[in-house]
Amino acid sequence: MLQELALALRLQALDRKIASLETEIATLPKHIAEIEKRLEAHTRRLEADRNALTANQRDRKKLEGDIQLHEQKISKLRDQMLGAKTNEQYKAFQNEIGYIETEVRKAEDRILDFMEQSEPLDKNVKATEVELKKEQTHVETEKTHARERTAVDQKDLIEMRVERHAVAQQMDAPFYKEYERVRKKTKNTPIADGTEGRCTACQIALRPQFFQDLRRGDKVMFCESCGRILTYNPVIDVATEVGAGQQTHISRIPSR
């Protein structure tokens, strides 16, 4: 009977490690998708900054072109003004020239505004380009790590599944069936220790007679509260195995 429990403990350890590897293999692509999403957002910010800078330069160039046209028109009006025959004609030319000069000043003011706006926009574009390059390098590093980590995990997973099959083959068929039933119910924690007189999983105290039967070790016993397989003074430390299996798998992924 002790041999059956030892096999079951080994199987539990393998099941928990297998579950951890499967979770990590499934999580790594999600992790990469998240950092690629951040990279995409970074790229969109750079595009927005570039578009804003391009629009600024385009609008400023248009105003400069408008000023040139206004100045050409003013020059023509002044030539025409020399030929004015009446004071009314002369004043009309003056008024039109004054209006155009006002438009030129407005355009010049707008150009100054655009020049003030372009400086921070240009700085933002350059800074974002540098940050984006760093982010791209980081993403590529993470993707390389993920591929390497996945390859190692898949290799380990295959080896552990082979080992699990070998261990399961050594177990008594009815007992293995019961182990599987409890394992599925308890999420890979089918075994608990009762050495201290209580189940380490549900923390319920064992009945005195039940505890005495458990100490004899002549049959497989199940916790009357949570249904887990109970051990007494196990060869493998159940608490250590459970704790090791509960470590967060994502810690194996390097953070930024």
Side-chain angles (χ1 to χ4, degrees):
M1 196 58 62
L2 291 176
Q3 176 65 18
E4 287 295 320
L5 287 175
L7 289 171
L9 282 166
R10 180 56 187 159
L11 201 60
Q12 176 180 252
L14 286 168
D15 283 333
R16 295 187 66 80
K17 290 175 183 176
I18 286 170
S20 179
L21 285 171
E22 289 174 339
T23 301
E24 181 166 276
I25 289 170
T27 301
L28 283 168
K30 294 178 183 177
H31 174 67
I32 294 303
E34 287 174 3
I35 62 173
E36 285 184 332
K37 189 175 180 180
R38 291 199 300 269
L39 179 62
E40 184 180 347
H42 204 138
T43 302
R44 286 198 299 268
R45 286 199 302 273
L46 176 58
E47 289 177 354
D49 288 343
R50 282 174 174 168
N51 289 338
L53 182 60
T54 299
N56 177 288
Q57 293 170 340
R58 182 185 62 243
D59 292 343
R60 190 171 69 187
K61 188 174 182 180
K62 181 180 182 303
L63 287 171
E64 290 170 347
D66 290 343
I67 288 174
Q68 287 182 346
L69 292 175
H70 287 324
E71 289 175 343
Q72 290 173 3
K73 192 171 183 180
I74 288 172
S75 178
K76 289 180 181 179
L77 287 171
R78 282 176 175 161
D79 288 341
Q80 292 173 0
M81 190 169 63
L82 295 175
K85 296 179 179 180
T86 64
N87 285 336
E88 287 77 9
Q89 287 178 336
Y90 189 84
K91 288 181 179 179
F93 281 122
Q94 280 186 321
N95 289 337
E96 190 169 358
I97 289 172
Y99 172 78
I100 296 173
E101 286 177 338
T102 299
E103 292 301 306
V104 168
R105 287 194 293 273
K106 289 180 180 179
E108 288 173 341
D109 288 341
R110 288 293 293 136
I111 287 174
L112 288 175
D113 290 339
F114 281 127
M115 289 176 68
E116 290 178 359
Q117 295 168 10
S118 69
E119 185 176 351
L121 285 172
D122 186 55
K123 287 182 178 178
N124 284 345
V125 168
K126 290 178 180 177
T128 306
E129 286 174 341
V130 172
E131 291 174 5
L132 181 60
K133 188 174 181 179
K134 291 180 180 177
E135 189 77 12
Q136 288 171 332
T137 301
H138 170 72
V139 170
E140 288 306 312
T141 300
E142 288 285 86
K143 288 169 73 173
T144 299
H145 171 78
R147 286 192 291 266
E148 293 172 351
R149 181 73 259 167
T150 299
V152 171
D153 284 351
Q154 288 174 337
K155 179 177 178 293
D156 291 345
L157 186 59
I158 291 171
E159 292 175 354
M160 287 187 183
R161 283 174 174 167
V162 170
E163 184 178 352
R164 186 193 190 281
H165 178 73
V167 173
Q169 289 292 100
Q170 298 175 55
M171 294 173 67
D172 179 66
F175 178 53
Y176 175 71
K177 184 177 180 181
E178 196 65 17
Y179 169 91
E180 282 293 280
R181 181 188 67 79
V182 181
R183 180 184 69 81
K184 292 173 183 177
K185 177 184 175 183
T186 59
K187 298 181 180 179
N188 289 323
T189 58
I191 304 174
D193 184 35
T195 305
E196 299 300 323
R198 67 175 59 246
C199 173
T200 54
C202 67
Q203 295 301 313
I204 300 298
L206 307 178
R207 292 185 298 105
Q209 184 57 53
F210 184 94
F211 183 51
Q212 291 301 320
D213 293 340
L214 177 65
R215 290 181 63 183
R216 281 201 303 269
D218 56 0
K219 61 180 177 179
V220 175
M221 300 185 67
F222 298 84
C223 177
E224 295 175 312
S225 177
C226 66
R228 286 177 171 83
I229 302 167
L230 288 177
T231 61
Y232 180 82
N233 195 23
V235 177
I236 299 176
D237 185 350
V238 178
T240 300
E241 288 293 343
V242 171
Q246 290 175 336
Q247 291 180 352
T248 307
H249 65 274
I250 198 64
S251 64
R252 299 169 70 181
I253 303 173
S255 58
R256 293 188 59 188

